[in-house]
């Protein structure tokens, strides 16, 4: 009888962890430098006490924390124990492989490592091996949530600091690398689900395959002839499309070709092996229709390959504003998969050998050539005139309106996310009325349109005005991911998966919200005076939303304040947007702990259960202006990384403590301003000091939560600052 595999406890007993000498040497070094009395690690447990790693982390430099963590993870990953323990994250992988991935993540100084503290404490205390490995699994499990966090924060970073900000670019790349992208791999029903409705495909594929096998020099004879032709041969030598009779193509099939040129970049950092495009000269993420990856000498089928395909698809999805999803494929050796990436992640077909199943290969290639734009993932509700002008149609007040799209404002930066995309637009019937179309994929209830409609109907000032909302319908059905995009494909039947951090029943629904205001980000204000005036007007809008509309915004941040200089209507020269986190103020209403960390109120960060008051939003206005003063050296001119950039990716508690220290004393705040405000905003230093004393009287962050007078006091400071000759630029 074959030997039975060992249980986890048997593995841990058979392969003891030992003394972890490399880890303790690193810990002894770092702790010894900071605390001379802790030279010998054996002393750490004296008198029943142990070294509190939180204290060490907060008293040492951040690089030291990382060195301690890396020493432990690398040592654990190298042990035989981890090689014999199965991964909880990825099928057919080991815990050592998961820990190697942790090393790669921790090596990047932008990422927090607080999730490793329980594991480090267990090692410091020399806990039993069973507990140490349990904490190692826990650390890996925490890390598996990191793609979600990175994806959401990458959106905030991209929106708040601009795509050139190095930390924003890092986070967006991380979001594409890890993809915040649950992958369900090996779905037998994928091929029939996605290729079965292409007219005449089966018969045409059989005819083309016969042509490939016919004649004195067939290109298929017990496999595709002359494939592969080297390490990374392109697919052109096995492209059967030249055998296709174009007359057999279904109506609506877009003209496209297979392009292969690994020298040309998908973007400045990544090359694409090959793909389908509408034109042989088309290249780049904004032009590729179906991205592909080919490695003829590498038949591996593992997470690195899947994530590589996901990165290609993510670039395309994030670069084409009208894409609902992206079809992709890869060939590893002679093994092929077809993929679909949407706003819930990725799903993939079963793998097949193109030599052993030549007919299926032909059917796949022809299917990708014949798919119409809707089948390729383009939104059919965004239409084009013969001259290429894009538009959507809406039913408003019983009449159909054509909304002309003028320009793209915002694109998403991830795959499994809301995919929020915004366009500037106008109604064909009312060309002078600027509109903004906001498309997004929402999970669960979506209250923002109804809150905006209420605010508009109640005459709320200086808040984006509601114009229209609808759930997008495709072919008469609600455009959701599970039933419409994936056509009911059951991901529970997947043979394999990666980073599954969502329920198999998760879903997103496609919504379209149209607003009748348009503006630019507040940091693009043409002058310091215009900036201060816009903040004043937005604070007035927040007050109106609260008192006239009965709605609390809850997410005052850099990206949610808009300026529209030169507007004819004074109420539109600045306004609040995005009520996605807002709540109604009613007896049954309940506040939520929400916000963007650099702009959140200290009290909310200090106690997640604390009710959200309007005063907390007013404090957020203070942090928005503070952030602008350290981030920008002129209208929209970002300086990139700065002293407070880590507030985006740190956990709440360290950011809260940093904020409390920042506003702790008059002289210290003024010192920080002098050191960190950009030259352009130095004239605002005395006014920011005054605003600090208004928002934080006596340097205490809890005194103004429910004080309606705070609105007037803040606005007075902002208005007085506008009369300062230094702020006006009259004095040097």
């Amino acid at each position: 009888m074959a030997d039975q595999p060992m249980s986890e406890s048997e593995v841990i007993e058979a392969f003891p962890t030992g003394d972890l000498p490399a880890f303790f040497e690193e810990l002894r070094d770092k702790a010894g430098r900071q605390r001379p009395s802790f030279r010998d690690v054996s002393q750490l447990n004296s008198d029943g006490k142990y070294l509190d790693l939180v204290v060490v982390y907060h008293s040492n430099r951040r690089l030291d924390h990382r060195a301690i963590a890396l020493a432990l993870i690398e040592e654990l990953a190298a042990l035989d124990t981890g090689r014999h323990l199965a991964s909880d994250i990825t099928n057919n992988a080991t815990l050592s492989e998961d820990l190697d991935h942790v090393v790669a993540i921790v090596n990047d100084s932008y990422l927090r490592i607080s999730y490793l503290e329980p594991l480090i404490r267990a090692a410091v205390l020399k806990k039993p091996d069973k507990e140490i490995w349990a904490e190692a699994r826990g650390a890996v499990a925490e890390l598996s949530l990191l793609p979600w966090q990175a994806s959401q924060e990458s959106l905030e970073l991209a929106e708040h600091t601009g795509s050139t900000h190095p930390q924003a670019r890092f986070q967006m790349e991380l979001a594409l690398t890890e993809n915040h992208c649950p992958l369900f791999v090996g779905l037998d029903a994928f091929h029939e689900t996605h290729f079965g409705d292409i007219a005449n495909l089966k018969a045409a594929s059989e005819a083309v395959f016969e042509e490939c096998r016919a004649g004195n020099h067939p290109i298929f004879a017990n496999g595709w002839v002359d494939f592969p032709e080297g390490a990374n041969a392109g697919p052109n030598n096995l492209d059967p499309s030249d055998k296709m009779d174009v007359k057999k193509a279904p109506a609506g099939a877009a003209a496209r070709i297979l392009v292969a040129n690994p020298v040309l970049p998908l973007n400045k950092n990544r090359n694409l092996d090959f793909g389908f495009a509408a034109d042989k000269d088309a290249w780049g993420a904004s032009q590729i229709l179906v991205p592909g990856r080919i490695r003829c000498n590498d038949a591996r089928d593992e997470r690195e390959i899947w994530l590589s395909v996901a990165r290609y698809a993510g670039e395309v999805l994030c670069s084409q504003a009208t894409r609902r999803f992206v079809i992709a494929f890869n060939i590893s050796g002679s093994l092929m998969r077809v993929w679909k990436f949407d706003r819930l992640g990725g799903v993939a077909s079963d793998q097949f050998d193109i030599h052993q199943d030549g007919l299926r290969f032909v059917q796949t290639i022809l299917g990708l050539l014949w798919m119409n734009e809707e089948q390729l993932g383009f939104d059919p509700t965004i239409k084009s005139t013969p001259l290429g002008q894009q538009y959507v149609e809406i039913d408003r007040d019983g009449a159909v309106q054509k909304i002309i799209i003028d320009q793209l404002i915002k694109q998403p930066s991830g795959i499994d996310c809301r995919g929020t995309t915004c366009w500037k637009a106008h109604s064909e019937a009312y060309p002078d009325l600027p509109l903004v179309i906001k498309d997004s994929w929402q999970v669960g209830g979506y209250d923002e349109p109804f809150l905006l409609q209420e605010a508009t109907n109640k005459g709320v000032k200086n808040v984006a005005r509601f114009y229209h909302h609808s759930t997008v319908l495709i072919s008469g059905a609600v455009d959701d991911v599970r039933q419409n995009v994936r056509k009911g494909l059951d991901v529970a039947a997947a043979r394999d998966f990666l980073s599954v951090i969502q329920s198999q029943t998760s879903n997103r629904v496609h919504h379209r919200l149209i607003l009748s205001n348009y503006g630019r980000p507040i940091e693009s204000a043409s002058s310091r005076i215009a900036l201060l005036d816009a903040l004043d007007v937005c604070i007035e809008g927040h007050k109106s939303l609260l008192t006239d509309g009965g709605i609390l915004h809850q997410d005052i941040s850099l990206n949610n304040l808009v300026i529209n200089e030169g507007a004819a209507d004074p109420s539109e020269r600045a306004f609040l947007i995005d009520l996605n986190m807002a709540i109604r103020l009613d007896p049954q209403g309940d506040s939520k702990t929400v916000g963007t960390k650099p702009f959140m109120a200290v009290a909310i960060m200090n106690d997640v259960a604390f009710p959200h008051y309007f005063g907390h939003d007013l404090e957020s206005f203070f942090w928005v202006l503070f952030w602008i003063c350290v981030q920008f050296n002129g209208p929209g001119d970002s300086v990139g990384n700065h002293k407070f950039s880590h507030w985006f990716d740190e956990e709440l508690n360290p950011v809260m403590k940093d904020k409390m220290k920042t506003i702790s004393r008059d002289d210290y705040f003024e010192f920080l301003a002098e050191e960190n405000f950009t030259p352009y905003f130095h004239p605002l230093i005395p006014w920011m000091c005054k605003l600090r004393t208004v928002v934080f009287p006596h340097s205490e962050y809890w005194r103004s939560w429910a004080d309606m007078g705070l609105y007037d006091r803040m606005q007075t400071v902002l208005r007085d600052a506008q009369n300062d000759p230094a702020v006006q630029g009259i004095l040097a």
Side-chain angles (χ1 to χ4, degrees):
M1 185 174 67
D3 293 338
Q4 295 294 319
M6 290 190 293
S7 66
E8 178 149 333
S9 58
E10 290 173 333
V11 168
I12 293 173
E13 185 176 352
F15 302 98
T17 299
D19 293 331
L20 300 173
F23 163 66
F24 276 105
E25 181 180 355
E26 189 69 39
L27 178 62
R28 190 161 32 237
D29 177 62
K30 296 299 182 286
R33 288 183 191 178
Q34 186 69 27
R35 296 170 177 265
S37 61
F38 288 151
R39 296 285 182 182
D40 190 339
V41 175
S42 64
Q43 297 178 17
L44 299 181
N45 294 320
S46 63
D47 301 323
K49 298 180 180 180
Y50 64 90
L51 178 63
D52 186 343
L53 265 293
V54 174
V55 173
V56 173
Y57 277 23
H58 287 293
S59 57
N60 272 332
R61 294 180 57 193
R62 199 172 176 197
L63 180 61
D64 291 347
H65 318 162
R66 204 163 303 278
I68 293 171
L70 282 171
L72 176 58
I73 299 300
E74 287 174 343
E75 194 162 7
L76 289 176
L79 295 175
D80 289 335
T81 321
R83 297 192 184 104
H84 287 81
L85 294 176
S87 166
D88 287 335
I89 304 301
T90 306
N91 284 0
N92 304 316
T94 66
L95 183 55
S96 282
E97 291 175 285
D98 289 341
L99 291 172
D100 285 335
H101 183 57
V102 172
V103 169
I105 295 297
V106 174
N107 256 317
D108 198 299
S109 62
Y110 278 126
L111 293 178
R112 62 180 179 267
I113 58 172
S114 57
Y115 52 84
L116 295 175
E117 288 175 4
L119 172 60
I120 298 174
R121 284 197 183 96
V124 168
L125 291 173
K126 298 187 177 181
K127 292 285 187 178
D129 285 2
K130 183 177 181 180
E131 293 185 34
I132 292 176
W133 287 107
E135 293 295 355
R137 285 197 182 279
V140 170
E142 288 290 329
L143 182 64
S144 73
L145 299 177
L146 185 57
W148 176 85
Q149 296 165 341
S151 179
Q152 302 302 325
E153 291 179 356
S154 70
L155 291 173
E156 294 288 354
L157 282 161
E159 292 166 352
H160 293 315
T161 62
S163 61
T164 59
H165 189 287
Q167 193 175 355
R169 293 307 308 166
F170 165 76
Q171 288 282 12
M172 286 190 286
E173 179 66 16
L174 176 66
L176 285 174
T177 299
E178 291 302 329
N179 230 7
H180 172 47
C181 192
L183 302 179
F184 295 91
V185 183
L187 291 160
D188 293 339
F190 184 99
H191 186 83
E192 180 61 28
T193 300
H194 292 87
F195 291 88
D197 60 351
I198 301 176
N200 200 38
L201 178 61
K202 182 177 181 182
S205 299
E206 292 172 351
V208 170
F209 187 52
E210 284 304 312
E211 291 186 44
C212 293
R213 301 170 65 185
N216 295 328
H217 301 286
I219 66 172
F220 185 91
N222 296 320
W224 296 98
V225 177
D226 297 329
F227 177 80
E229 287 186 341
N232 290 306
N236 290 335
N237 61 318
L238 54 82
D239 178 9
S241 61
D242 60 346
K243 303 287 186 181
M244 180 182 67
D245 183 350
V246 295
K247 295 179 181 178
K248 297 176 183 177
R256 66 185 67 103
I257 62 171
L258 191 64
V259 292
N261 190 342
V263 176
L264 294 175
L266 184 67
N267 65 21
K268 66 179 181 180
N269 298 315
R270 181 173 300 117
N271 291 345
L272 178 69
D273 295 333
F274 60 92
F276 290 97
D279 187 281
K280 66 181 179 64
D281 296 322
W283 204 260
S286 63
Q287 298 169 301
I288 291 296
L289 302 176
V290 180
R293 180 190 188 277
I294 183 170
R295 293 293 186 274
C296 298
N297 65 339
D298 185 355
R300 291 178 302 151
D301 181 42
E302 54 190 47
R303 60 181 294 160
E304 287 78 10
I305 309 301
W306 304 346
L307 288 173
S308 179
V309 180
R311 286 193 290 270
Y312 290 148
E315 294 277 5
V316 174
L317 187 61
C318 294
S319 299
Q320 300 181 17
T322 61
R323 289 297 282 265
R324 299 159 54 236
F325 58 85
V326 168
I327 301 289
F329 64 108
N330 74 288
I331 299 175
S332 298
S334 62
L335 302 176
M336 184 175 190
R337 282 195 197 277
V338 183
W339 299 76
K340 174 180 276 188
F341 293 90
D342 51 44
R343 294 304 175 192
L344 279 179
V347 291
S349 71
D350 57 316
Q351 194 175 52
F352 68 95
D353 192 307
I354 65 174
H355 293 309
Q356 296 178 11
D357 197 346
L359 175 59
R360 181 173 175 184
F361 174 70
V362 171
Q363 191 175 26
T364 300
I365 295 296
L366 294 190
L368 295 174
L369 286 166
W370 282 9
M371 284 181 176
N372 61 37
E373 289 195 344
E374 181 178 339
Q375 290 167 328
L376 284 175
F378 289 93
D379 188 341
T381 68
I382 299 178
K383 305 173 184 180
S384 294
T385 68
L387 296 178
Q389 177 66 64
Q390 291 183 319
Y391 67 93
V392 298
E393 292 180 327
I394 64 172
D395 185 348
R396 188 170 187 264
D397 300 329
V400 175
Q401 284 190 23
K402 182 182 287 188
I403 307 298
I404 308 299
I405 294 176
D406 296 320
Q407 69 182 68
L408 180 66
I409 301 173
K410 172 191 170 186
Q411 289 178 269
S413 302
I415 295 179
D416 178 13
C417 62
R418 293 177 190 154
T420 302
T421 305
C422 298
W423 297 269
K424 182 183 179 183
H426 68 272
S427 171
E428 186 178 54
Y430 310 102
D432 294 332
L433 178 64
L435 301 174
V436 172
I437 302 172
K438 177 182 177 180
D439 270 27
S440 61
W441 296 78
Q442 300 287 337
V443 176
Y446 181 40
D447 293 335
E448 182 183 16
F450 307 105
L451 293 174
L452 282 168
Q453 189 170 23
E454 287 181 22
T456 300
N457 292 341
K458 293 178 179 179
V460 170
K461 299 182 297 183
N462 306 328
V463 173
R465 291 199 291 266
F466 176 87
Y467 190 81
H468 175 78
H469 167 257
S470 63
T471 301
V472 176
L473 302 179
I474 305 290
S475 300
V478 171
D479 190 22
D480 70 331
V481 173
R482 295 193 64 201
Q483 297 303 319
N484 208 328
V485 172
R486 294 183 178 176
K487 302 180 180 181
L489 198 64
D490 183 11
V491 297
R495 293 175 180 160
D496 212 338
F497 58 85
L498 174 63
S499 295
V500 180
I501 58 175
Q502 62 180 209
S503 166
Q504 293 175 350
T505 61
S506 296
N507 199 12
R508 290 188 184 272
V509 178
H510 189 182
H511 289 265
R512 179 163 294 148
L513 174 63
I514 302 180
L515 308 170
S516 62
N517 303 70
Y518 172 74
R520 296 175 293 111
I522 195 169
E523 67 269 18
S524 66
S526 62
S527 67
R528 293 182 290 264
I529 299 298
L531 172 65
L532 296 173
D533 177 67
L535 282 168
D536 178 15
V537 173
C538 286
I539 289 175
E540 188 65 30
H542 186 277
K543 183 178 181 180
S544 178
L545 183 66
L546 180 76
T547 58
D548 300 327
I551 297 169
L552 181 61
H553 191 284
Q554 289 203 129
D555 190 21
I556 298 300
S557 59
L558 188 63
N559 197 50
N560 291 338
L561 309 182
V562 173
I563 188 171
N564 186 19
E565 295 181 75
D569 184 348
S571 70
E572 293 184 353
R573 70 178 187 263
F575 51 91
L576 300 177
I577 63 171
D578 196 349
L579 301 191
N580 206 48
M581 299 297 179
I583 59 167
R584 294 179 181 87
L585 296 180
D586 57 57
Q588 287 74 41
D590 188 19
S591 63
K592 299 174 284 188
T593 302
V594 294
T596 308
K597 281 175 283 188
F599 316 114
M600 288 175 67
V602 173
I604 298 298
M605 303 178 81
N606 185 46
D607 184 357
V608 296
F610 198 90
H612 198 125
Y613 286 91
F614 63 84
H616 297 133
D617 279 3
L618 290 176
E619 180 185 331
S620 294
F621 280 103
F622 169 85
W623 292 116
V624 167
L625 183 54
F626 178 84
W627 191 267
I628 291 174
C629 290
V630 299
Q631 178 73 64
F632 298 95
N633 192 31
D637 182 17
S638 173
V639 299
N641 216 359
H642 55 78
K643 177 180 175 65
F644 307 97
S645 295
H646 66 279
W647 285 4
F648 268 110
D649 64 291
E650 284 279 9
E651 292 183 342
L652 285 177
N653 193 56
V655 178
M656 176 205 68
K657 291 181 178 178
D658 208 1
K659 285 186 172 184
M660 291 177 66
K661 182 179 179 181
T662 298
I663 54 98
S664 60
R665 298 195 320 270
D666 296 348
D667 57 344
Y668 183 68
F669 181 79
E670 185 174 2
F671 165 76
L672 283 179
E674 292 282 355
E675 289 291 313
N676 295 284
F677 279 24
T678 63
Y680 179 80
F681 284 111
H682 260 243
L684 292 188
I685 290 176
W687 298 103
M688 280 298 294
C689 290
K690 290 182 180 180
L691 193 62
R692 172 196 158 274
T693 61
V694 166
V695 178
F696 308 102
H698 308 293
S699 300
E700 295 169 345
Y701 63 85
W702 59 83
R703 288 184 175 268
S704 303
W705 295 334
D707 180 3
M708 288 295 292
L710 183 58
Y711 282 102
D712 290 336
R713 293 194 295 274
M714 291 183 69
Q715 289 177 287
T716 297
V717 174
L718 295 173
R719 292 167 186 172
D720 289 346
Q722 296 175 54
N723 296 319
D724 182 351
V727 175
Q728 294 171 349
I730 298 175
L731 300 178

